[in-house]
Amino acid sequence: MKQGLINDIRAAIDCPEQQVLSIARKQLHLPERTPAYIYRRSLDTRKDRFSFVYTVAVETDSDHPCLRPFPSYTFPSPISCGKTVPIIGFGPAGIFCAWLLAKCGCTPLVIERGRPIEERIRDVEGFWKGGDLQPESNVQFGEGGAGTFSDGKLTTRIHDPRCRAILETFVSFGAPEEILYLAKPHIGTDRLRHVVKAMRKDILRMGGEIRFETKLDGLKIENGQLKAIYLNGSVHETDTVVLAIGNGAEDTYRMLLNSPLEITAKPFSVGFRAEHNQEALNKRIYGKYYGMPQLGAADYQFSYVTNKATSEAVYSFCMCPGGQVVNASSLPNRLTTNGMSVFARDGENANAAILASVRPNTPEEGLELQKRIESAAWNAASGLGPATTGKDFLAKSRPDKLIGPKATFCPGVSPFDINELFPADISARLRDGFARFRERILGNEPALLTAPETRTSAPMRILRDNTLQSPSCKGLYPCGEGAGYAGGIMSSAADGLRVAEQILESLR
Ligand SMILES: Cc1cc2nc3c(=O)[nH]c(=O)nc-3n(C[C@H](O)[C@H](O)[C@H](O)COP(=O)(O)OP(=O)(O)OC[C@H]3O[C@@H](n4cnc5c(N)ncnc54)[C@H](O)[C@@H]3O)c2cc1C
């Protein structure tokens, strides 16, 4: 029997799911016994239409015009060559690439500069309590990659059938089942850590190898073909490597910029984290429905075009309901923020990055801008988070006192006019956008702004051809967010699968 999907079934917030399935069957003129389940549920918060909106999957051979095809993806079939494939980086891209290669008969050799998750958690928590930054084990580096200390949001704008397979894989390794049907699924940092560990164990069980505290520090390329990679200074001969390094490894980026690889500049964004009271946001967004047990912590998306001619915008990014602003530094004397929440999203504050896009002319220019802002932020408060109130930010004044929501950033914040961290044109755009954000999202709620947010996406793209290899180095597969082909956990994981499929194809 085929599966099909019917969209746009609206139901009241407290409508039982069995009733939603019955509505779907009726609309399709199918008998009540037809197998059906909730495929997706989103929340429409518009005042006059406040409801859940469902997509229902049904098992039927009917060709009713309202039915659309079920997205299908099947993992490739195994091969019998057993080739060892080095994969640099064990974030979502590296994990899914390694897992699929192992599942299909190859031997992934994962090279990760950071530490296993258990040690990494101790390192990061020690740093947040005021201890020293561990340059190789922090929020950017270590098992699980950059998103391990995150909200674990699994939303993506890519429409790739691999996404369903990724969600199912996460569930099979212990993620909550609701991620399969929520339109805005999230795992939470607490659950994500267990999922990552379970995937590591499965890769090892299938014969893969993982070397932690091992860094790729060089490439040997001859006549456009990869010959070897350097790991902690030692040569390792190989004709294939997957480069899934994420966007936080500045030293690796600089090493690659000195190699023959073709690399171009890519737009990215900078800004700050705004945090404000979650309950007040729930009341504002849910209105008379506030308090209904079916509704979790409210979220939002905000975007405002600051320059119509160039389409430059200020927008919210990586909103973390009930979350915490985190110190996401990976370099000494540098500071950058990000957001995180646990599965329950039950913290007092909501936070989101408020960002302005930048377009560097060269990859080096992008790296220099990040460096300039992050260093200025560290110097501003000697490692504490430079923070201001919304009102002081708009007035370009140094706050006397940080009135408003209690800062979640650890080890603490220090009053500073964060306008000073950015080039003048960027801070002007951020002020313009934030003024609109206050009107549309905050209302009268006070906000605390901690800066800077700088690692939103890669400042460069490592080019690849239609076989997903570097045109200037056969055998080298740029992959995931750091290579400029993904943005977020889901799209990075999907790119990891895509690269693994391509490698398998080349070996068949
Ligand atoms: C705090 C935080 C919160 C986030 N929240 C979310 C969220 O809720 N949802 C979402 O979709 N995205 C989120 N992101 C973004 C998301 O984490 C990234 O998009 C995603 O992790 C990118 O995956 P990746 O595998 O390409 O790279 P990464 O996850 O960055 O992994 C790259 C890995 O490569 C390793 N590495 C780098 N250089 C070398 C080298 N030379 N040798 C060996 N190893 C190396 C690094 O140590 C790292 O572990 C968040 C990011 C951060 C920092």
Side-chain angles (χ1 to χ4, degrees), residues 247-259:
N247 72 20
E250 191 183 298
D251 54 353
T252 306
Y253 271 156
R254 292 196 190 275
M255 178 273 285
L256 298 173
L257 286 168
N258 281 323
S259 77

Side-chain angles (χ1 to χ4, degrees), residues 336-386:
T336 185
T337 58
N338 216 303
M340 171 179 108
S341 34
V342 294
F343 178 65
R345 285 181 165 172
D346 55 2
E348 204 172 296
N349 289 355
N351 73 68
I354 304 296
L355 303 175
S357 50
V358 292
R359 292 175 188 280
N361 294 310
T362 62
E364 289 85 353
E365 202 181 293
L367 288 179
E368 283 309 310
L369 179 67
Q370 285 177 327
K371 184 176 173 183
R372 185 175 143 192
I373 297 173
E374 292 173 12
S375 303
W378 199 90
N379 289 329
S382 303
L384 298 181

Side-chain angles (χ1 to χ4, degrees), residues 89 92-93 112-113 141-142 146-147 149-150 153 216 245-246 252 481 488-489:
E112 169 54 59
R113 65 192 294 166
F141 302 156
F149 298 88
S150 80
K153 264 181 291 299
L216 170 85
I245 54 169
T252 306
E481 172 142 353
I489 296 171

Side-chain angles (χ1 to χ4, degrees), residues 292-309:
M292 286 186 81
Q294 295 85 352
L295 301 171
D299 65 2
Y300 55 77
Q301 263 183 330
F302 162 81
S303 173
Y304 172 69
V305 176
T306 49
N307 183 334
K308 288 207 173 93

Side-chain angles (χ1 to χ4, degrees), residues 249-467:
E250 191 183 298
D251 54 353
T252 306
Y253 271 156
R254 292 196 190 275
M255 178 273 285
L256 298 173
L257 286 168
N258 281 323
S259 77
L261 298 186
E262 284 170 54
I263 301 177
T264 59
K266 189 183 131 307
F268 64 103
S269 298
V270 297
F272 53 81
R273 277 271 151 182
E275 61 184 324
H276 44 93
N277 184 267
Q278 180 69 51
E279 274 310 297
L281 182 74
N282 293 351
K283 284 183 189 153
R284 192 169 157 86
I285 291 190
Y286 295 151
K288 66 178 181 184
Y289 301 95
Y290 166 75
M292 286 186 81
Q294 295 85 352
L295 301 171
D299 65 2
Y300 55 77
Q301 263 183 330
F302 162 81
S303 173
Y304 172 69
V305 176
T306 49
N307 183 334
K308 288 207 173 93
T310 58
S311 303
E312 278 171 348
V314 168
Y315 60 98
S316 68
F317 176 74
C318 187
M319 199 255 153
C320 297
Q324 162 186 358
V325 180
V326 298
N327 186 339
S329 304
S330 58
L331 287 161
N333 303 346
R334 302 260 293 260
L335 192 137
T336 185
T337 58
N338 216 303
M340 171 179 108
S341 34
V342 294
F343 178 65
R345 285 181 165 172
D346 55 2
E348 204 172 296
N349 289 355
N351 73 68
I354 304 296
L355 303 175
S357 50
V358 292
R359 292 175 188 280
N361 294 310
T362 62
E364 289 85 353
E365 202 181 293
L367 288 179
E368 283 309 310
L369 179 67
Q370 285 177 327
K371 184 176 173 183
R372 185 175 143 192
I373 297 173
E374 292 173 12
S375 303
W378 199 90
N379 289 329
S382 303
L384 298 181
T388 187
T389 65
K391 203 170 143 209
D392 285 303
F393 176 62
L394 292 177
K396 289 169 67 179
S397 60
R398 191 179 199 279
D400 296 327
K401 228 172 138 194
L402 296 173
I403 311 161
K406 192 165 170 272
T408 53
F409 184 92
C410 291
V413 293
S414 176
F416 190 76
D417 176 13
I418 61 168
N419 283 287
E420 292 176 20
L421 302 177
F422 305 99
D425 60 321
I426 296 179
S427 58
R429 279 167 52 209
L430 286 168
R431 282 194 303 280
D432 193 7
F434 181 71
R436 299 299 177 285
F437 175 79
R438 271 220 315 191
E439 277 164 30
R440 283 195 218 156
I441 307 287
L442 293 179
N444 294 325
E445 266 312 295
L448 182 78
L449 318 181
T450 309
E453 186 101 357
T454 46
R455 309 288 183 91
T456 52
S457 69
M460 62 189 80
R461 176 168 290 129
I462 308 171
L463 297 187
R464 61 189 192 190
D465 63 17
N466 57 6
T467 66

Side-chain angles (χ1 to χ4, degrees), residues 75-79 81 85 97 100-106 477 497-508:
F75 290 117
S77 52
I79 55 170
C81 87
V85 180
C97 186
L100 185 57
L101 286 175
K103 193 172 151 66
C104 291
C106 287
Y477 292 82
L497 290 180
R498 202 175 293 122
V499 165
E501 289 159 25
Q502 188 65 46
I503 293 173
L504 290 164
E505 198 48 46
S506 72
L507 294 171
R508 270 181 214 288

